[in-house]
Amino acid sequence: MSEFKLRLRRYDPESGSAPYWAEYSVDLEGHRSVLEGILQAKGETDGSIGIRCSCRAAICGSCGVLINGKTALACHTHLDKAARHAKDGVIEVEPMSNMPVIKDLIVDMDAVHWKKQQRVTPWLINKEPIPEREYIAPHESMVDITQSMACIQCGACVSSCLSMEIDPLFVGPAALAKAYRFVGDPRDAQQYERLKDLAEDPHGMYDCTHCFNCIEACPKGVAPMNQIMRLRRVAGDHEIVDRNNGHRHESAFVTLVKDYGLLHEAELLPRSYGGDSWFGKFHPNAGKELLDSLPVVVKGLMRRKMNPKIALFGHKLPKDALGEVQRIFDTVESRPARDELNLYIKGYDEDDSGAQDSGAGGPEHANNAPDQGQPGQEPEESPVR
Amino acid sequence: MKVAYWPGCVSRGFTPELHGSMAKVAPLLDMELVELDRASCCGAGVIAEHSQELADTLNARTFALAQQTGQPMMMNICSTCQGSQTECQERLDANAEYRERINATLEPDGLRYDKGEVLNKNLLWLLVEDFGLDELRNRVKRPLKDLKVGPFYGCYIIRPTDRLGIDEEKPRDRYLHMLIEALGGTVIEYAGQHKCCGFPIITMNKEASLKQAARHLGDALDAAADCLVTPCPLCHLNLDLQQPLAERYGGRDLGLPVLHLPQLVGLALGLDADDLGLARHVVKPTTVVDWSQSVVAGVGGSQSAGW
Ligand code: SF4
Ligand code: SF4
Ligand code: FES
């Protein structure tokens, strides 16, 4: 047994007083969970501590909190590890972010998380006519959505979302991951409508800043951000050109890198607003945007921040190098089907002796869930170590 | 140390002072840069959003070019390059069949990526892990005394932690802190240090994008920072180039200078502010450099202390 100190954020809205910190000491082994620590403090010191929990095994999704400022499941975080990461040795526990606090560590999931789930029509809209027996779906397409199906609705990603922190209307990571669960399901009848709806919503799939916080927070390896990128990709397949410039931005970026080998930022902005061609910048939307940004551009040019030549004509790879890059584009873009290597599903090679024994491991390999929540095998080693 | 050097696109486009300052700083660190001038854009996550295989192939080509230089170390100066290239490298390394498929696309140009042959590190990691902060301390000519610096990492270089090899042994999400201290400056802790600058959605939701930038700049100012330092030129675009607009969306005056990582290092190593391109920023770093005397250190800070 060792002693751990917990500092809990306490708040009772009915009391009329402000939130405050309170410290508790608990006596538990280091491999026990932060949740057990909180429950011991509640049982032995102060029965009024508010915490929601049920399974204590990272299944029910009730016990999401902030531990030392980062969202996690209290039952899925070891006391010793949490203590090592605490800035002064005291484990700090707060209610999750981006949701109103009901009491102490309990947040109002209905007000935010569940409402956003509702937003994406979280059920299957079946195809007609209804077959006599069950719907038959190809195995691979169901494997593709297992990752989003692993969600336990804990709201940790919602709490961690940096876009939602600024724009509370953002549909958010959990709901968008749920949306992909149906967009990727071949039995669903309204994939186009779902995608169109979430692409056109100014707070929809293009409102994600790609900050990776939800990937980091999710205890189940759902990687909501990756599901959002899939939504965008499939929306592109459906040729949905949204009013938020999401699709235009993506295709402008890809085209510019194909044409120049490098990113040509000065073209990217007007094309994102106006359309993916050199004429894009003459579109009225692009003009409006340019006017809005004019002080910035002028200032940049005056400080010689942007070289006017590069700003106008962009930098380019040498001709033969550009040829190599363009051949890669042609080769990959001409494939009959897009190839996506999802490591959640495929896992990592056990050894790398060659192509023959690689890769095709199905989800049957994906069952043990280590700490970071990657149900596939952990990388033996990050490529950058 | 000799490294294969990938400067990225933005460092040669909208923030040329980044590439320029790196070139100035390298000799002072005994660093020889073998520039990968045939490599393409890393895709910044956007090409991968369009097609994962395309992004993986383009970056495999970059790694293959780095391999051809014969240097085991490839260096980048952009958080976003680090993150998106590492993501591709993780997939390439994870699956031999996939790797061979990508290599087949590269083959006609005589290029090939081999697992374990290229270690791709941002300047920040290289300074801390390979050059060493003690060595850096020894070379400081002008300690950044009294300069209060807020670190701004950029999402791509700190998340996801497992992919980027961040753990207790390698606390790469604290390296900027350690570096600022080694250069003699004071670290400002503030809420936004590990948050998102908002740049990726600047064309999709400008208001949300610039409100993010404004909030982090404001938080750093409230914590009494003289400037921010960032290893990411895309963050620099939202935090510096767009700062006048961010002021508008954030509803407050800001005026907080944002330095590129090699600029901060260069100042401490005794380089001239103009040589490091500091005059090119939209927010002129008057709180960092006293331009009349060309001396460094918390000019704004000491002024307000005199009140
Ligand atoms: S990656 Fe997107 S959805 Fe995930 S936390 Fe960041 S902004 Fe939110
Ligand atoms: S995606 Fe992950 S973090 Fe988000 S609600 Fe589902 S299980 Fe929780
Ligand atoms: S108590 Fe069920 S997930 Fe933590």
Side-chain angles (χ1 to χ4, degrees), chain A residues 162-221:
Chain A
L162 292 179
S163 212
M164 208 186 279
E165 182 181 70
I166 298 291
D167 177 8
L169 294 176
F170 177 37
V171 175
L176 288 170
K178 177 60 94 182
Y180 184 72
R181 188 250 166 275
F182 296 105
V183 163
D185 190 326
R187 298 167 302 170
D188 195 89
Q190 300 205 357
Q191 286 151 357
Y192 175 83
E193 290 78 1
R194 289 175 188 275
L195 288 163
K196 177 88 176 153
D197 171 34
L198 291 169
E200 295 288 6
D201 186 334
H203 312 281
M205 65 166 94
Y206 291 111
D207 208 12
C208 160
T209 66
H210 213 276
C211 76
F212 299 92
N213 242 9
C214 53
I215 298 187
E216 195 65 19
C218 177
K220 291 290 158 187

Side-chain angles (χ1 to χ4, degrees), chain A residues 297-316:
Chain A
V297 174
V298 171
K299 208 160 185 179
L301 285 172
M302 271 167 41
R303 292 267 159 84
R304 289 187 303 131
K305 179 160 183 60
M306 308 150 198
N307 170 333
K309 188 168 145 255
I310 287 184
L312 288 176
F313 303 108
H315 40 195
K316 216 174 187 172

Side-chain angles (χ1 to χ4, degrees), chain A residues 35 52-64 73-76 152:
Chain A
L35 178 63
R52 186 160 38 204
C53 66
S54 174
C55 71
R56 307 190 194 187
I59 291 296
C60 72
S62 334
C63 67
L73 295 179
C75 72
H76 195 50
I152 57 168

Side-chain angles (χ1 to χ4, degrees), chain A residues 115-126:
Chain A
K115 210 169 241 152
K116 289 180 187 294
Q117 288 285 317
Q118 295 282 327
R119 161 73 185 79
V120 300
T121 321
W123 57 81
L124 192 87
I125 303 169
N126 62 288

Side-chain angles (χ1 to χ4, degrees), chain A residues 6 32-39 67 74 77-79 82 91 93:
Chain A
L6 296 171
R32 306 299 286 270
S33 71
V34 172
L35 178 63
E36 286 170 290
I38 298 168
L39 292 177
I67 299 173
T77 308
H78 294 300
L79 280 164
I91 302 167
V93 189

Side-chain angles (χ1 to χ4, degrees), chain A residues 113 150-158 173-174 177 214 217-224:
Chain A
H113 175 74
C151 173
I152 57 168
Q153 305 294 345
C154 67
C157 54
V158 173
C214 53
C218 177
K220 291 290 158 187
V222 173

